[in-house]
Amino acid sequence: MTSRDWHGDRRAVFDRDDHTCRRCGATDSTSDDDAATADLRCYPVGDISLEGDVHGSSLVTVCEPCFTSLQGGPATSGERPDDETLFTLARELTQRQGVTVSAVASFASIATSLPATLETAGDDDESQTDAESEYRQARREVLLAIDSVPSRLERLAAVDETALEPGVGEPLAELVEAARKLQDELRQIVSHCEGVPSAIGRCPGCLESTEETTTDECPTCGVSAESTEGEATNTDVDSMEGRFQAINGTLQDASATTETLTDCAGTVATELRGEPNSPQ
């Protein structure tokens, strides 16, 4: 996430998220005024405008340290961390991607069941609101989880492999490659999932109706119309069944990549510490 000039309703977002960082769980229980929330920030997720107001559906509460980590910065090319730092980075990367895989699977389940859930809710406003809220929260959290990975991944990618022992350099390179592939697959799944509400005339961000919208952006939250990369699968993602098949197929791909990632992490851990288990 690059630095941007944006604005949002901080108080409403903090209240919705119970003044709790959605990334690490840090809380701020004394929230009577803005000064009491100085250690909390709003972090924007998803395909949103680069400036101006950001709708609450695309804002997540995070603490100051997590906000700084999410903002990230360019990794130093040719870096050679000590073995302990390298081990910690590999462990944290696999942990973060493990959390992300779980978040993606949860979002996929909620997104694919959304049309049936809304249909079942019918004219019951409370049931409709609950279903919409569940989807929006799952979407925010999966996008936040995906954004949480690069801070570790890019540092590992910047490590000078030639400065490492051969038994560490090669599996580390494979670990980075698997992590990047997994990130791409998880983003594809989220994109396919966002196509589900789009297919029923809803914004994939805020879930407001877009049936009468004449532009590519939702008039309520500004999220761009869903754009699915169909070439990643052999299915017709323009149909609802095709979208479901694309989601399931890419979930299977991500599962296989996760196994590769775990194996590579285990090899790195063994070489660095002589431990047979992966750094999770």
Side-chain angles (χ1 to χ4, degrees):
M1 178 63 63
T2 57
S3 178
R4 303 156 51 256
D5 178 21
W6 57 267
H7 312 279
D9 189 342
R10 296 171 70 249
R11 175 56 60 81
V13 173
F14 294 159
D15 287 347
R16 183 201 66 204
D17 293 341
D18 296 325
H19 294 263
T20 301
C21 175
R22 303 305 299 181
R23 185 170 183 257
C24 74
T27 60
D28 184 348
S29 59
T30 57
S31 54
D32 292 335
D33 52 46
D34 285 341
T37 61
D39 58 337
L40 294 179
R41 300 287 296 270
C42 285
Y43 179 77
V45 295
D47 183 14
I48 56 177
S49 174
L50 296 179
E51 59 183 14
D53 292 336
V54 177
H55 192 264
S57 60
S58 293
L59 288 173
V60 186
T61 300
V62 296
C63 63
E64 187 69 37
C66 283
F67 184 85
T68 300
S69 177
L70 287 161
Q71 290 289 92
T76 303
S77 181
E79 181 182 12
R80 173 55 175 103
D82 58 56
D83 286 356
E84 186 62 30
T85 300
L86 198 57
F87 177 88
T88 299
L89 285 172
R91 180 190 63 201
E92 291 179 348
L93 172 63
T94 54
Q95 287 175 337
R96 283 289 176 191
Q97 285 204 303
V99 169
T100 305
V101 168
S102 296
V104 169
S106 177
F107 180 54
S109 176
I110 291 169
T112 53
S113 63
L114 183 66
T117 301
L118 293 176
E119 183 177 357
T120 300
D123 296 329
D124 185 335
D125 291 341
E126 183 175 354
S127 295
Q128 286 268 350
T129 299
D130 288 346
E132 292 166 355
S133 177
E134 181 183 40
Y135 169 90
R136 287 192 295 264
Q137 179 175 334
R139 177 180 176 272
R140 285 192 300 271
E141 298 203 348
V142 74
L143 291 170
L144 178 64
I146 288 175
D147 279 359
S148 296
V149 173
S151 61
R152 274 80 173 180
L153 175 55
E154 294 312 314
R155 282 197 63 189
L156 285 175
V159 171
D160 181 5
E161 298 169 18
T162 63
L164 303 174
E165 294 294 329
V168 177
E170 291 184 9
L172 180 63
E174 293 173 357
L175 172 64
V176 169
E177 181 181 359
R180 282 180 167 162
K181 181 181 179 183
L182 183 57
Q183 282 287 93
D184 289 342
E185 290 168 342
L186 296 178
R187 289 191 182 100
Q188 286 178 21
I189 295 168
V190 171
S191 178
H192 291 316
C193 288
E194 289 180 328
V196 174
S198 293
I200 58 174
R202 298 280 194 119
C203 169
C206 67
L207 283 188
E208 290 295 321
S209 174
T210 57
E211 290 183 347
E212 298 182 3
T213 302
T214 58
T215 65
D216 291 335
E217 292 187 352
C218 171
T220 299
C221 70
V223 168
S224 297
E226 178 270 337
S227 175
T228 303
E229 304 219 0
E231 57 268 28
T233 70
N234 292 322
T235 59
D236 175 14
V237 294
D238 288 333
S239 69
M240 191 65 77
E241 182 61 29
R243 293 180 190 278
F244 292 168
Q245 291 178 17
I247 291 168
N248 290 331
T250 315
L251 277 170
Q252 293 175 12
D253 292 341
S255 177
T257 305
T258 300
E259 291 183 9
T260 300
L261 179 75
T262 301
D263 290 343
C264 294
T267 302
V268 170
T270 300
E271 293 296 329
L272 290 174
R273 284 188 166 185
E275 297 183 4
N277 297 320
S278 60
Q280 297 186 30

